[in-house]
Amino acid sequence: MQTHLADDIRKSEQGREAEQILRSCVHCGFCNATCPTYQLLSDELDGPRGRIYLIKQVLEGSLPTRKTQIHLDRCLTCRSCETTCPSGVRYGRLLDIGRSLIEKKVERGHLDRLARTSLRLIFPYRRRVRPLIELGRKLLPLLPAGLRRKVPHRTNPVEAWPEPRHSRAMLLLHGCVQPAAAPQIDLAAARVLDRLGISLVQPANGGCCGALSYHLGETDEALNFMRRNIDAWWPRIDAGAEAIVITASGCGVLIKDYGELLKCDRDYADKARRVSAMSKDVAEVLFDLDRSAIKTKGLVAFHSPCTLQHGQKINGVVEKILSDAGLILCQIENSYLCCGSAGTYSILQKSLSERLLAEKIKALEKGRPDWIATANIGCLLSIQSATEIPVRHWIELLDE
């Protein structure tokens, strides 16, 4: 693709990166075939190729409009198009650059700004999320049915974290929403790894990975969350921790990009590269261990989150772990498609999200599984709100 970027943009680090990405696109349109929003809306501007053209126009000096912003807002950032693209176009990164630029040029309406600001002020902070969840649970009988199903299910009392007792130690991303909504997930990961000879350590002061702010176009805020995590992990890394374990694939895909996103920060560039290299989804850790002692049974429908299969390119790993443990996996139709959760998407793009979720639920329920399993807290909460089948993080199925 030929480009003629505006001078001020072309000379910036973001501009040079965007130009390189644009020039790798050959207009083939294969991406639209696997784009969830294009399949729903049949609008070229609601598919990856159309959005690439919109971003290109802005980078070349055209003034973006609210309409431009709407088409970019509708993108799930599922990156299914990247899996499909024969040219290896880094669409997700281009979208982030485009959104960040347009966010500075197009003023949002009052309600839109209020919604986005509220999300940024609440969800990245465990101490703010937890009271809201508890309040929702107390008010459950008074809530409308639709809203009642969206309140995270009450979890069992959390048992004591396994005491560090092994020579092998790994760090855990503590995160924000997941510890408040489903603390049993990280506990299950710690217990399973403890049985397999690894101590999982929770460093103090860690928190949100930065993904929520980053995908809402608040890049500086996101980078500060990243620096905070690096500072929290660094003493343990220096002490010999061998990996950073992540149980939410939506966080994992961003943390593996810390090195790229902080490459221009003189104080953090080297540390960020090391953090990214050390970061592993819990499935990657388990896959390399002797798991023969872990046995269970049942029928499970596994929903592979977009951030796992398209973002991190981890395909078939969780399925292999579950099969080896004795579980039978259902075949899922169109398993590459997004469930519609996509971080804050289910809140900001409610109608499109619900249409995608309805299709995903049909596919997951078709085999009548005992459980639906997934690898990301956002997907888990969204799917849980629309089905009577128990929904769990897959690591919990191994901690029986």
Side-chain angles (χ1 to χ4, degrees):
M1 180 181 289
Q2 290 187 340
T3 58
H4 303 281
L5 270 59
D7 287 343
D8 59 328
I9 293 175
R10 182 166 46 82
K11 294 174 183 177
S12 69
E13 180 66 32
Q14 276 193 336
R16 286 190 291 270
E17 185 179 6
E19 186 169 41
Q20 184 181 37
I21 297 170
L22 285 169
R23 289 185 173 180
S24 66
C25 177
V26 298
H27 326 256
C28 67
F30 288 174
C31 52
N32 284 344
T34 57
C35 173
T37 52
Y38 182 79
Q39 290 191 20
L40 285 180
L41 302 171
S42 300
D43 185 334
E44 178 73 14
L45 296 180
D46 285 313
R49 183 170 61 180
R51 293 185 181 114
I52 286 172
Y53 275 107
L54 290 174
I55 295 168
K56 177 177 180 286
Q57 289 172 353
V58 174
L59 292 169
E60 290 179 337
S62 297
L63 286 176
T65 64
R66 177 61 184 142
K67 184 180 178 183
T68 310
Q69 193 172 54
I70 287 171
H71 287 300
L72 298 194
D73 284 349
R74 285 179 184 159
C75 179
L76 292 138
T77 324
C78 70
R79 294 169 66 174
S80 179
C81 55
E82 291 188 11
T83 298
T84 308
C85 179
S87 303
V89 176
R90 295 169 57 222
Y91 168 82
R93 178 59 184 145
L94 181 66
L95 180 73
D96 289 331
I97 292 171
R99 279 175 168 168
S100 180
L101 288 173
I102 292 170
E103 200 68 26
K104 297 171 184 175
K105 295 175 182 289
V106 178
E107 186 173 1
R108 294 183 177 275
H110 294 303
L111 291 178
D112 198 9
R113 287 204 309 273
L114 178 62
R116 288 167 175 265
T117 300
S118 299
L119 290 170
R120 288 173 36 234
L121 289 176
I122 296 172
F123 285 101
Y125 304 95
R126 288 189 299 274
R127 292 181 182 177
R128 300 175 191 177
V129 175
R130 189 173 286 114
L132 286 179
I133 293 174
E134 289 303 321
L135 178 62
R137 287 171 176 161
K138 289 177 182 177
L139 297 177
L140 215 54
L142 306 177
L143 297 177
L147 186 56
R148 192 183 310 144
R149 295 177 70 90
K150 294 185 181 296
V151 177
H153 294 183
R154 183 174 296 280
T155 58
N156 295 326
V158 175
E159 300 175 32
W161 195 269
E163 288 292 327
R165 62 192 180 97
H166 303 289
S167 59
R168 298 185 67 184
M170 297 183 180
L171 307 181
L172 175 76
L173 167 72
H174 203 31
C176 46
V177 173
Q178 182 170 291
Q184 75 278 4
I185 294 174
D186 286 340
L187 177 64
R191 287 160 55 99
V192 170
L193 287 174
D194 181 63
R195 288 167 59 190
L196 300 179
I198 295 173
S199 292
L200 196 57
V201 179
Q202 300 182 85
N205 303 320
C208 178
C209 65
L212 186 146
S213 301
Y214 186 68
H215 293 304
L216 289 178
E218 298 292 335
T219 306
D220 291 340
E221 183 176 83
L223 294 177
N224 284 333
F225 279 119
M226 297 176 200
R227 294 182 186 107
R228 175 186 168 184
N229 277 330
I230 292 171
D231 288 341
W233 295 329
W234 203 252
R236 297 280 187 172
I237 292 172
D238 271 347
E242 62 179 274
I244 299 166
V245 179
I246 304 152
T247 55
S249 62
C251 301
V253 72
L254 186 74
I255 294 171
K256 290 181 177 182
D257 268 350
Y258 274 18
E260 177 68 20
L261 297 173
L262 286 166
K263 66 183 179 183
C264 296
D265 187 318
R266 289 185 302 174
D267 296 326
Y268 283 87
D270 290 340
K271 291 181 178 180
R273 277 194 294 272
R274 188 171 172 190
V275 162
S276 290
M278 293 177 64
S279 297
K280 292 181 179 293
D281 186 89
V282 65
E284 295 177 283
V285 177
L286 258 66
F287 191 76
D288 292 330
L289 300 176
D290 177 5
R291 307 182 307 278
S292 56
I294 298 178
K295 294 298 177 185
T296 186
K297 59 183 179 179
L299 182 64
V300 60
F302 176 64
H303 165 62
S304 182
C306 301
T307 45
L308 191 71
Q309 61 172 312
H310 303 307
Q312 298 186 62
K313 309 296 185 189
I314 300 174
N315 291 294
V317 175
V318 174
E319 293 90 332
K320 170 72 170 152
I321 292 171
L322 295 178
S323 295
D324 287 350
L327 290 161
I328 299 171
L329 273 69
C330 299
Q331 289 293 114
I332 310 299
E333 186 177 356
N334 295 331
S335 59
Y336 63 89
L337 286 177
C338 183
C339 69
S341 172
T344 59
Y345 194 90
S346 61
I347 299 171
L348 299 174
Q349 300 289 334
K350 187 171 181 289
S351 176
L352 288 174
S353 174
E354 288 179 347
R355 290 170 66 183
L356 291 167
L357 178 60
E359 290 302 312
K360 181 60 66 173
I361 292 297
K362 286 180 188 176
L364 292 170
E365 290 183 341
K366 188 174 182 180
R368 299 183 180 180
D370 300 314
W371 304 284
I372 294 172
T374 189
N376 189 53
I377 184 63
C379 302
L380 188 153
L381 294 176
S382 185
I383 294 169
Q384 183 176 265
S385 74
T387 182
E388 298 298 330
I389 297 173
V391 185
R392 313 194 51 193
H393 190 290
W394 65 267
I395 193 69
E396 295 179 79
L397 301 181
L398 306 183
D399 182 38
E400 297 292 341

